[in-house]
């Protein structure tokens, strides 16, 4: 009798390669579809079709209301952190002054006791006859020295002496950042962008959604095309027309406004919580196989 095929042999004590693939073991890859990628005419914050779009110098497009609200919230957060940092610095200064005062008071007290001989001084820390020494947490008479020792003693088994990690507030940056590119962003660096809408009769009869075209070559703008916006006037062209005409003639083809090479801003496309900008459009997920995964005692059904 011939031997059974390895793909149908599911009575082994270990998982075969084919069984692991059927159970989804290892790194699973899947290319993201159109629904997982942000279209070029959507706001980077609300992910909806933009209204009164504004663009930064890195090519990220936002709704005017969304980006203004974001920058305002950042400024409020920076102001709150500055107040907290100033309060922390004031507290640290007061604690340092208090520590210096206590240290000076201890030095004066020790000097006074040594000169007048009111209380004998002992150099041995383990001397049990010192009445002003530290007697432990259950001491009946608690002096100021014992209070200081209890406060500074790092004994985790005593609730009153449990050390606490101080929360340090770092000095915040005073500049707002782009929510998409994380670079410094100011309100005056944003410029409005204007897309040429397709108003042809065929487009009106076929769909109610807005579509945009390049003002130069009349090609419909999609995510497959690289777009360029002029920061001087805000008009958007495809990259081929921008490199062919604007980069050479140094003038906008729509409004004839002069422009320089630094005014050509590449518009970013795509990029959501599921995919980054550019060509990295593949999602990956690793699945563990074994104890704790729920797949340790499961075997795929044999093919019939």
């Amino acid at each position: 009798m011939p031997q059974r095929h390895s793909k149908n042999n599911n009575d082994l004590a270990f998982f075969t390669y084919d069984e692991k693939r059927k159970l989804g073991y290892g790194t699973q890859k899947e290319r993201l579809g159109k629904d997982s990628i942000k279209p070029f005419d959507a706001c980077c914050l609300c992910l909806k079709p933009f209204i009164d779009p504004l663009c930064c110098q890195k090519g990220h497009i936002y709704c005017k209301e969304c980006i203004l609200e974001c920058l305002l919230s950042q400024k409020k957060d920076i102001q709150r952190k500055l107040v907290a940092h100033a309060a922390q610095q004031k507290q640290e200064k007061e604690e340092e002054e208090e520590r210096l005062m206590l240290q000076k008071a201890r030095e004066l007290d020790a000097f006074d006791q040594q000169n007048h001989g009111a209380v004998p001084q002992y150099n041995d820390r383990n001397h049990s006859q010192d009445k002003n020494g530290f007697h432990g947490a259950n001491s009946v008479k608690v002096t100021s020295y014992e209070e200081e020792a209890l406060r500074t003693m790092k004994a985790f088994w005593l609730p009153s002496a449990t050390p606490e990690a101080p929360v340090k507030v770092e000095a915040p940056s005073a500049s707002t950042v782009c929510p998409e590119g994380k670079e410094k962003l100011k309100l005056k660096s944003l410029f409005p962008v204007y897309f040429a809408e397709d108003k042809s009769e065929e487009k009106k009869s076929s769909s109610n959604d807005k579509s945009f075209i390049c003002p130069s070559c009349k090609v419909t703008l999609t995510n497959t095309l690289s777009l360029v916006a002029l920061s001087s006037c805000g008009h958007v062209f495809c990259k081929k027309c921008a490199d062919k005409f604007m980069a050479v003639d140094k003038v906008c083809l729509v409004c004839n406004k002069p422009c320089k090479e630094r005014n050509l801003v590449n518009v970013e496309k795509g990029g959501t919580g599921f995919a980054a900008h550019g060509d990295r459009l593949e999602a990956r997920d690793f699945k563990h196989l074994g104890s704790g995964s729920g797949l340790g005692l499961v075997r795929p059904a044999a093919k019939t």
Side-chain angles (χ1 to χ4, degrees):
M1 184 175 179
Q3 189 177 3
R4 298 183 64 185
H5 197 273
S6 62
K7 291 186 178 181
N8 296 327
N9 188 10
N10 56 0
D11 58 349
L12 299 176
F14 56 88
F15 285 103
T16 61
Y17 174 74
D18 186 67
E19 289 174 347
K20 289 181 180 180
R21 291 186 61 187
K22 291 178 181 178
L23 289 173
Y25 169 76
T27 303
Q28 304 296 323
K29 300 179 182 179
E30 182 181 358
R31 184 174 174 84
L32 298 174
K34 181 181 178 181
D35 296 337
S36 299
I37 303 173
K38 183 184 74 66
F40 72 95
D41 58 345
C43 174
C44 292
L45 290 175
C46 64
L47 303 180
K48 297 179 181 179
F50 47 62
I51 302 174
D52 297 333
L54 294 177
C55 183
C56 68
Q57 299 298 327
K58 295 296 183 180
H60 303 114
I61 299 179
Y62 308 94
C63 297
K64 185 176 182 179
E65 182 179 358
C66 294
I67 189 61
L68 292 181
E69 183 178 357
C70 178
L71 294 178
L72 181 61
S73 63
Q74 288 187 32
K75 289 183 178 180
K76 289 182 179 179
D77 190 37
I78 291 172
Q79 189 66 24
R80 179 183 59 81
K81 291 181 179 179
L82 287 174
V83 172
H85 183 64
Q88 176 180 308
Q89 286 185 332
K90 183 179 179 181
Q91 183 180 0
E92 290 178 354
K93 186 177 179 180
E94 291 177 353
E95 290 177 355
E96 182 67 19
E97 292 178 355
E98 183 180 359
R99 187 182 65 82
L100 293 176
M101 290 177 62
L102 289 175
Q103 183 178 0
K104 188 175 181 180
R106 290 196 195 98
E107 292 176 355
L108 291 175
D109 191 12
F111 179 78
D112 185 64
Q113 291 178 1
Q114 185 176 4
N115 288 341
H116 294 80
V119 179
Q121 298 294 321
Y122 298 98
N123 295 327
D124 189 4
R125 295 184 179 180
N126 297 325
H127 201 280
S128 60
Q129 300 297 327
D130 188 3
K131 296 183 179 180
N132 291 330
F134 177 69
H135 301 286
N138 297 323
S139 176
V140 177
K141 182 180 179 181
V142 180
T143 63
S144 60
Y145 298 102
E146 292 182 356
E147 291 179 356
E148 180 69 16
L150 282 173
R151 189 173 64 86
T152 58
M153 183 179 64
K154 295 177 174 53
F156 61 89
W157 57 89
L158 297 176
S160 60
T162 303
E164 296 181 356
V167 180
K168 188 173 183 180
V169 181
E170 300 292 340
S173 176
S175 58
T176 54
V177 297
C178 177
E180 192 73 13
K182 301 303 179 183
E183 68 272 358
K184 292 183 179 181
L185 179 65
K186 295 183 179 180
L187 184 60
K188 63 181 180 180
S189 64
L190 296 171
F191 60 93
V193 290
Y194 305 99
F195 287 85
E197 187 177 353
D198 188 4
K199 298 182 180 180
S200 61
E201 296 295 334
E202 297 179 358
K203 183 62 182 176
K204 289 182 179 179
S205 59
S206 61
S207 176
N208 294 327
D209 297 335
K210 289 184 179 181
S211 63
F212 303 101
I213 60 174
C214 175
S216 177
C217 60
K218 307 299 180 183
V219 174
T220 303
L221 303 181
T222 60
N223 268 13
T224 59
L225 294 176
S226 298
L227 307 180
V228 175
L230 299 180
S231 60
S232 57
C233 59
H235 293 104
V236 180
F237 301 87
C238 64
K239 188 170 179 59
K240 291 183 179 180
C241 295
D243 294 340
K244 187 176 181 180
F245 299 108
M246 270 74 74
V248 178
D249 298 337
K250 308 295 182 182
V251 66
C252 177
L253 298 179
V254 178
C255 60
N256 294 327
K257 189 174 182 179
C259 64
K260 297 181 180 180
E261 189 174 358
R262 66 170 181 267
N263 298 127
L264 302 178
V265 178
N266 295 322
V267 177
E268 293 287 347
K269 56 185 177 180
T272 62
F274 304 97
H277 292 287
D279 299 330
R280 293 180 294 173
L281 305 178
E282 191 177 61
R284 296 188 178 187
D285 184 24
F286 178 78
K287 292 186 178 179
H288 172 68
L289 183 63
S291 60
S293 63
L295 300 176
L297 302 176
V298 179
R299 285 187 178 273
K303 295 183 180 179
T304 56

